[in-house]
Amino acid sequence: GRYNIRERTLSTTVEGRDLRVTLRRLWSPASDDPSVADADLESVSVDMRLEGSVLRPLGEVSLTAASVRLSGRDAGAVVARAHAAQGQVRFDLGAPRFGAEASADVTLESPRPWTADVTLNGADVVQALMLLGVNPEAVAGSAAALSASARASGNLDTPSLSQASMEVRTLDGQ
């Protein structure tokens, strides 16, 4: 790729296949197991194409991970995409194992308004609880599925939530 420091413009293309990505916090409590990463992504594919002004880039980024582990817990596959054009960025995220899809739109000019939507379709609540660290023995024999949607919005220049709503369509379980 190229970067023009005077004009603050860039042009870059990145491709990667069958990568492994490990993410760790720079600081973690002493009680955290140092051998467990905050996130391990396996069989990662990355495609990125960006050009134009650093402050208002044009382009797309796509990341697919066949296997994701968060703090050692299996989260399944994840697909993430971002598209930037005309001063706007659109993010899409999918986690099929949890029936979860999320999207967000951000305007790059101040006050940087944003909206975010999350949809759960038959999400396995027990698996989600275990991903969040609930002891599997505490939920053994339990089953629950959640279908819901949520929408939130605000401005990045004012770090507060302006509006949020949530609708639970179904919650079935035992």
Side-chain angles (χ1 to χ4, degrees), residues 79 91-96 98-103 116-121 148-150:
V79 176
F91 299 94
D92 293 296
L93 176 69
F98 294 99
E101 293 181 358
S103 64
D117 295 288
V118 176
T119 302
L120 302 174
N121 288 310
S149 60

Side-chain angles (χ1 to χ4, degrees), residues 14-158:
V14 175
E15 292 182 8
R17 301 286 177 269
D18 202 28
L19 303 171
R20 177 167 189 223
V21 178
T22 300
L23 304 172
R24 296 186 190 276
R25 288 176 282 185
L26 294 176
W27 175 87
S28 61
S31 63
D32 283 359
D33 181 353
S35 67
V36 177
D38 292 316
D40 276 314
L41 292 77
E42 298 279 345
S43 299
V44 176
S45 292
V46 176
D47 291 291
M48 178 178 80
R49 181 191 52 79
L50 292 174
E51 60 186 34
S53 166
V54 172
L55 299 176
R56 289 179 59 117
L58 302 171
E60 298 179 2
V61 177
S62 174
L63 179 138
T64 303
S67 173
V68 175
R69 296 187 68 76
L70 301 174
S71 299
R73 297 179 201 91
D74 186 14
V78 172
V79 176
R81 289 186 172 76
H83 175 80
Q86 300 175 0
Q88 300 258 34
V89 181
R90 166 98 181 170
F91 299 94
D92 293 296
L93 176 69
R97 178 175 183 192
F98 294 99
E101 293 181 358
S103 64
D105 293 292
V106 178
T107 299
L108 297 177
E109 289 188 25
S110 192
R112 291 184 261 295
W114 61 270
T115 60
D117 295 288
V118 176
T119 302
L120 302 174
N121 288 310
D124 185 329
V125 175
V126 173
Q127 288 294 319
L129 289 171
M130 289 190 298
L131 181 65
L132 293 172
V134 171
N135 185 332
E137 293 175 6
V139 291
S142 300
L146 173 65
S147 292
S149 60
R151 182 173 186 86
S153 62
N155 292 315
L156 292 178
D157 288 357
T158 313

